[in-house]
Amino acid sequence: MASALIGAPTAAVASQAYLESNSVRETKALITELCRQFYHLGWVSGTGGSVTIKVHDEAIPRPNQLIIMSPSDFGGVGRDAQRNSRVQKERMVPEDMYVLSSSGSILSSPLPKPFPYKPPKCSDCAALFLKAYEMRNAGAVIHSHGMESCLVTMINPLAKEFRITHMEMIKGIQGHGYYDELVIPIIENTAHERELTDSLAEAIEAYPKSTAVLVRNHGIYIWGDSWISAKTQAECYHYLFDAAIKLHQLGLDWSTPNHGPITESRGVLGGHSNGNLSRKAGPLISNDGVEPSRSCIVLDIEGTTTPISFVTDVLFPYARHNVGRHLDATYYTAETQDDIKLLRSQVDNDLRQGIAGAVPIPSDDAGKEEVVAALVANVEAMIKADRKITALKQLQGHIWRTGFQNNELKGIVFDDVPEALENWHTLGIKVYIYSSGSRLAQRLLFGNTSYGDLRKYLSGYFDTAVGNKKETSSYIEISEYLGVDNPSKILFVTDVYQEAVAAQAAGFEVIISVRPGNAPVPKNHGIKTITSFSEI
């Protein structure tokens, strides 16, 4: 297919043969089908909504692929809009579609339709779609006017974000899980859609984790790597918006883990109002009417919420002693095969670098027993060296999950932790975990403590996928994700001095946790220390 492009793909010139190719025709037909489906869902009715998809071609990098875009069905204003309509979304045919180059130049336009249709016009969303393609390397973008997406922006007219957590459909949003907090920026509407371009681009840049931007009193823009990803996420977003509206009608706060009653201290929309500030997680008002200085608290685990000895003397030995049993029992499952694939890659890299303890893993042809034996030897060496690598953490998490399920493990936290978590939750302060352990391991620990399931007090989990805990850039990334207007609104509590320094450099408020068994901190370091969460 690439040969059908004349010159370099970036020249945005395509041959007529390519414009009439099967891949282009199929993409046009797909958009017409999606428009009909979305019309019946109420996403693209009247003059609203649009869909665009890139023409998939393995031979052409996605940034250079052609763009198929639905036309605008808006042909007038006020009472003339219906009379002057160009095309109805539910009646579109492939021939109504526009073909654009990757830079946005129109390469092919539909032919005019007879009266009462007006001459064709490309979607008014074109400039906004191009921003999603450019800034997120998207494969498809959906613009919906679904009623749910309008109403959630209207419940609190000052909110600059929509936040929701602990809802099953969050798992359908790229990069999110059930326990995560989903954050979607809200931008203000304008009289003309193209005028939203700059504010949409700013929101995309400010919220790198988001795959959508809400427009107040208007709708939502959603993108994905493919049309399937965009469509799936659109369905999940609309479900979550509908759930939030219904929870609000019931007087329940959808932005908290337990979805309890909306309290006066939190206000409408879980307290995510921010007036004229562009990004803020608060304010959060305490019971005595005084605004706390913090809107979020981020906690380390080892030496902060949990004794280091629990990790070193319980969790790591459990994983080391049970790795063989786990691999043998689950060897042929897709999950374990994925774990083995990651371990093979890591071990191959270790062998090339001459890492001590690394031993070759035979091919599957050697038999299950030999493969497992080699895997066990490598895992034991990695655990002994206290290596914080993805392959090991993923396998450990799966082993620990079995241990917690079989009641062979019980999560340990310091006695002052549960009460502090409950108090912060009551005040509306969101609490997150940032640990070198995997997010699965974090959820297992807090979900199975001797004090019960503490996850209801936690709004999200960060692991080293966000960055090294001793690097300032990691905390900047967390601050961006949490969406506070000022990083000083975030308190980070850790037992490691270097982590505290890195977070402090990112603008966080920091406290060092001094617990039994923790490593000593430098003298005269100048950072506040505590021995119990009751001191916070």
Side-chain angles (χ1 to χ4, degrees), residues 20-35:
E20 296 176 355
S21 64
N22 285 336
S23 55
V24 172
R25 287 199 303 268
E26 290 170 358
T27 306
K28 288 181 175 181
L30 175 59
I31 292 182
T32 63
E33 179 185 351
L34 292 176
C35 282

Side-chain angles (χ1 to χ4, degrees), residues 461-506:
Y461 307 85
F462 298 101
D463 59 17
T464 49
V466 80
N468 189 294
K469 294 185 68 183
K470 296 180 181 179
E471 295 180 0
T472 298
S473 59
S474 304
Y475 300 91
I476 294 175
E477 178 70 13
I478 290 174
S479 177
E480 289 290 317
Y481 181 90
L482 297 183
V484 296
D485 66 312
N486 192 322
S488 64
K489 290 286 186 179
I490 305 172
L491 168 65
F492 177 56
V493 187
T494 179
D495 66 308
V496 179
Y497 171 72
Q498 294 88 341
E499 295 176 6
V501 170
Q504 195 172 55

